[in-house]
């Protein structure tokens, strides 16, 4: 005779909501197993003297909920193999928030066990009724134990289940605070639909984990939001706004723009973001990073309008690239330090090119340096690529000699008064200086940026001293300005 496990739902806790079919099965069965006896329906078992075995002890023995559910499924299969027919009762509905039931669905066939599932009223039925919302308007059910802010859609009715205690509520609070104001009203439901035990409270978000009463029958409810201002922290809202700006009903200026017309904006916004970074200005960074993202959104929207790709394709490509190029994080490869991680990155870049059909033997070692880079940065990258194949000096001394040589040639070009030759020799000197930067592990762009900042600070000191003395640059000379410059050098 084939062994059978019958899983039944005990409903939300109101005896009147228990189905007649489930009640009959419970009465007829000789071997009853209960996930937990911490449920209002257990009164019915006691009143009718129905014996059972509970798995509550596993919650104390195991380190995690997944371990508990795995152990429950394993023991139920073992019991079915010896007792032939058993019944397993769970709170609510067997297919709602019951991981052990999912494990039984996966494992019973391989053990030759027939599995039957009989529904019961889910806690969701009572949530729809007692909290008063229609799930057809848009609804999501989330697990408090695995909640992340990225899962939460604030434009949908959201029920967060399995909020067992204040610690779990605290985790929920932190996730919601990434999307909502700290004082936003949140609904807590305890034992919905259970006479004499039901509680429905509305508290500000910051009080979510300071409210007593959490237990096995607790949930948190967030009504769907119609206020678009509360969606301003979501990427979907940004995509929506940019699409509206580019639409026939949007902004006339935005509609007229093309990739080429706003190309320079991309460059300018990037440099403004870099300036905020250099100034260690968090407020400036927050604003300027947004401006850079806007450029990505606008260019992506233009392509979405003609059907080539959308910003979601951009994100997908980026995610896939990051996963592929970090095998030491998302794969089996190891990297003990930054150098090994970079080597993995370069190796996977080469593999990407091979998969795209690019013949590495036909490619130049200098390929991959964008032509639109600032020339100082471009020189740095070209030299690094050449150095990888051995085209490089062994140490810094010949690099410094090369700088002296190029400086001498620049002096000769200046003496010749040939403007084109002078520009060429100046370029050679700068290229040699970039080589020195590479050898001392200094980014030339960053080094020059620091020097520019230093120059601005010292020159501003000269201006300040002249203002204090009531004079202008026309009323001073280089000797005095140089003295102020030396004073500025001594300032912290």
């Amino acid at each position: 005779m084939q062994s059978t496990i019958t899983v039944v739902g005990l409903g939300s806790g109101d005896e009147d909501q228990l189905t007649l079919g489930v009640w009959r099965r419970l009465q007829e069965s000789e071997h009853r197993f209960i996930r937990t006896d911490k449920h209002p329906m257990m009164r019915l078992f006691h009143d009718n003297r129905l014996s059972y075995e509970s798995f509550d002890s596993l919650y104390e023995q195991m380190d995690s909920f997944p371990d508990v559910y795995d152990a429950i499924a394993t023991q139920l299969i073992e019991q079915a193999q010896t007792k032939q027919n058993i019944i397993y009762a769970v709170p609510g509905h067997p297919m709602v928030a019951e991981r052990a039931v999912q494990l039984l669905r996966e494992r019973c066939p391989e053990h030759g066990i027939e599995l039957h599932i009989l529904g019961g009223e889910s806690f969701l039925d009572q949530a729809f009724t007692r909290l008063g919302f229609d799930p057809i308007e848009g609804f999501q059910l989330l697990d408090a134990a695995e909640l992340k802010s990225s899962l939460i859609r604030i434009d949908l009715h959201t029920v967060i289940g399995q909020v067992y205690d204040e610690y779990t509520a605290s985790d929920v609070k932190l996730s919601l605070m990434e999307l909502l104001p700290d004082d936003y009203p949140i609904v807590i439901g305890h034992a919905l639909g259970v006479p004499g035990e039901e509680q429905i409270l509305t508290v500000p978000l910051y009080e979510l984990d300071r409210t007593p009463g959490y237990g096995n029958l607790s949930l948190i409810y967030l009504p769907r939001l119609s206020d678009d201002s509360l969606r301003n922290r979501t990427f979907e809202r940004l995509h929506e706004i940019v699409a509206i700006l580019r639409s026939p009903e949007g902004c006339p200026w935005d509609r007229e723009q093309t990739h080429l017309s706003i190309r320079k904006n991309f460059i300018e916004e990037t440099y403004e973001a870099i300036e905020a970074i250099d100034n260690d200005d968090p407020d400036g960074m927050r604003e300027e990073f947004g401006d850079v993202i806007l450029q990505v959104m606008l260019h992506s929207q233009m392509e979405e309008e003609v059907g080539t790709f959308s910003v979601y394709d951009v994100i997908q490509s980026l995610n896939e690239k990051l996963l592929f190029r970090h095998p030491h994080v998302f794969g089996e490869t190891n990297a003990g330090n930054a150098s090994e991680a970079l080597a993995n990155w370069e190796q996977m870049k080469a593999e990407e090119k091979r998969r795209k059909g690019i013949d590495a033997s036909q490619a130049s070692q200098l390929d991959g340096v964008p032509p639109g880079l600032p020339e100082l940065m471009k020189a740095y990258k070209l030299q690094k690529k050449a150095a990888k194949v051995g085209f490089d000096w062994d140490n810094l001394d010949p690099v410094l000699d090369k700088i002296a040589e190029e400086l001498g040639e620049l002096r000769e070009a200046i003496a010749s008064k040939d403007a084109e030759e002078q520009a060429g020799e100046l370029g050679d000197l700068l290229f040699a200086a970039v080589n020195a930067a590479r050898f001392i592990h200094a980014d030339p762009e960053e080094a020059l940026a620091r020097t520019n900042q230093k120059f601005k600070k010292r020159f501003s000191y000269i201006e300040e001293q002249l203002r204090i003395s009531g004079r202008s640059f026309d009323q001073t000379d280089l000797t005095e300005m140089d003295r102020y410059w030396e004073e500025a050098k001594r300032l912290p």
Side-chain angles (χ1 to χ4, degrees):
M1 182 178 178
Q2 187 177 22
S3 297
T4 301
I5 297 176
T6 301
V7 185
V8 300
L10 295 176
S12 59
D14 182 358
E15 295 178 5
D16 293 337
Q17 302 300 325
L18 185 67
T19 68
L20 182 59
V22 168
W23 178 236
R24 284 175 175 168
R25 291 292 186 96
L26 287 169
Q27 288 179 308
E28 295 168 357
S29 178
E30 296 180 9
H31 308 293
R32 306 177 193 90
F33 294 87
I34 307 293
R35 176 165 70 79
T36 176
D37 63 7
K38 297 175 175 59
H39 189 266
M41 288 300 298
M42 290 301 99
R43 290 193 299 262
L44 194 60
F45 278 66
H46 297 151
D47 292 345
N48 290 271
R49 298 183 179 180
L50 297 182
S51 62
Y52 61 85
E53 293 184 42
S54 166
F55 290 113
D56 281 306
S57 61
L58 293 177
Y59 287 90
E60 299 176 2
Q61 297 171 20
M62 301 296 175
D63 294 330
S64 67
F65 286 129
D67 291 339
V68 171
Y69 305 141
D70 181 79
I72 290 175
T74 299
Q75 291 189 26
L76 286 171
I77 288 173
E78 292 174 353
Q79 293 289 341
Q81 289 171 331
T82 59
K83 296 184 172 66
Q84 297 296 311
N85 297 300
I86 67 171
I87 193 165
Y88 174 50
V90 299
H93 191 288
M95 295 301 293
V96 178
E98 288 293 338
R99 177 59 184 158
V101 177
Q102 297 297 334
L103 294 175
L104 288 174
R105 284 170 55 87
E106 297 169 8
R107 298 177 185 177
C108 280
E110 64 189 59
H111 289 280
I113 297 174
E114 189 174 348
L115 179 68
H116 299 289
I117 297 177
L118 298 181
E121 184 188 53
S122 164
F123 71 93
L124 290 176
D125 295 283
Q126 288 298 331
F128 300 149
T129 302
R130 306 302 298 161
L131 300 176
F133 69 94
D134 186 346
I136 198 66
E137 298 173 349
F139 160 72
Q140 62 178 349
L141 171 64
L142 300 174
D143 182 353
E146 299 181 2
L147 188 67
K148 296 182 291 187
S149 60
S150 59
L151 297 175
I152 301 169
R153 288 278 305 275
I154 60 177
D155 56 338
L156 302 177
H157 292 288
T158 301
V159 171
I160 303 170
Q162 308 203 83
V163 190
Y164 298 115
D165 50 34
E166 286 83 358
Y167 300 105
T168 312
S170 178
D171 292 338
V172 172
K173 180 180 79 170
L174 294 176
S175 294
L176 290 177
M177 279 184 168
E178 294 186 35
L179 302 171
L180 298 169
D182 292 355
D183 59 352
Y184 194 82
I186 303 294
V187 178
I188 304 172
H190 300 303
L192 296 183
V194 180
E197 297 184 32
E198 177 182 276
Q199 281 187 297
I200 298 176
L201 312 169
T202 300
V203 300
L205 177 55
Y206 66 85
E207 291 281 358
L208 198 59
D209 56 347
R210 305 174 190 172
T211 306
Y214 288 105
N216 293 338
L217 300 180
S218 297
L219 59 79
I220 289 170
Y221 170 57
L222 176 66
R224 70 171 185 165
L225 307 181
S226 57
D227 184 353
D228 281 338
S229 67
L230 294 175
R231 296 176 54 222
N232 286 345
R233 290 179 66 87
T234 67
F235 179 80
E236 287 74 18
R237 179 59 173 158
L238 173 60
H239 182 234
E240 179 183 298
I241 290 172
V242 173
I244 292 172
L245 290 175
R246 291 275 303 171
S247 72
E249 297 77 27
C251 172
W253 185 89
D254 285 292
R255 287 201 308 268
E256 291 179 0
Q257 301 314 305
T258 65
H259 288 304
L260 290 178
S261 71
I262 61 171
R263 175 183 178 277
K264 67 181 188 316
N265 297 35
F266 213 145
I267 298 171
E268 291 171 0
E269 298 296 356
T270 301
Y271 274 108
E272 288 177 8
I274 291 172
E275 181 182 9
I277 293 172
D278 291 341
N279 293 336
D280 193 21
D281 177 8
D283 290 336
M285 282 187 263
R286 180 177 60 187
E287 180 178 352
E288 300 303 338
F289 292 168
D291 291 342
V292 172
I293 292 173
L294 175 60
Q295 299 307 307
V296 175
M297 297 298 297
L298 285 169
H299 286 284
S300 298
Q301 182 63 31
M302 292 174 192
E303 292 302 313
E304 183 174 343
E305 289 163 6
V306 297
T308 51
F309 66 83
S310 73
V311 70
Y312 293 100
D313 296 307
V314 174
I315 292 171
Q316 178 183 349
S317 297
L318 175 58
N319 285 337
E320 290 173 352
K321 179 189 294 184
L322 291 173
L323 292 169
F324 186 76
R325 294 191 184 179
H326 290 85
H328 47 284
V329 178
F330 304 105
E332 303 300 325
T333 307
N334 294 319
N337 53 51
S339 297
E340 292 178 5
L342 184 59
N344 286 338
W345 175 276
E346 294 296 340
Q347 181 180 351
M348 301 313 286
K349 277 180 65 176
E351 175 62 16
E352 281 179 353
K353 292 180 180 179
R354 186 190 68 77
R355 293 186 180 186
K356 292 177 181 178
I358 300 174
D359 187 350
S361 64
Q362 300 297 317
S364 169
Q365 294 294 333
L366 302 181
D367 286 348
V369 178
L373 282 180
E375 297 305 324
L376 203 62
M377 187 182 299
K378 189 187 298 183
Y380 186 68
K381 288 186 174 291
L382 289 171
Q383 290 175 14
K384 285 181 67 176
K385 283 182 171 288
K388 286 181 180 178
V389 294
F391 190 73
D392 203 6
W393 280 287
D394 294 329
N395 56 65
L396 181 60
D397 289 338
V399 178
L400 298 178
D401 292 340
K402 185 63 176 176
I403 291 175
E405 177 188 329
E406 296 297 350
L407 180 59
E409 292 178 2
L410 176 60
R411 292 181 186 277
E412 293 175 5
I414 291 172
S416 72
K417 300 188 179 187
D418 184 329
E420 186 173 344
E421 185 180 356
Q422 291 170 7
E425 295 300 340
L426 177 61
D428 291 345
L429 176 60
L430 292 172
F431 194 83
V434 170
N435 239 332
R438 187 170 55 83
F439 265 83
I440 64 173
H441 307 292
D443 187 296
E445 284 281 340
E446 295 177 3
L448 186 57
R450 286 197 293 270
T451 297
N452 288 339
Q453 287 293 102
K454 184 165 54 179
F455 179 85
K456 287 176 61 178
K457 180 179 179 181
R458 292 174 183 176
F459 191 81
S460 296
Y461 179 81
I462 296 174
E463 292 177 311
E464 181 183 3
Q465 296 307 308
L466 290 176
R467 279 195 296 270
I468 291 173
S469 63
R471 289 178 298 151
S472 66
F473 283 101
D474 294 338
Q475 298 169 312
T476 187
D477 56 27
L478 183 58
T479 301
E480 184 178 28
M481 285 190 287
D482 189 58
R483 177 167 57 83
Y484 289 142
W485 179 270
E486 292 300 323
E487 289 178 7
K489 286 173 62 176
R490 294 191 291 270
L491 294 176

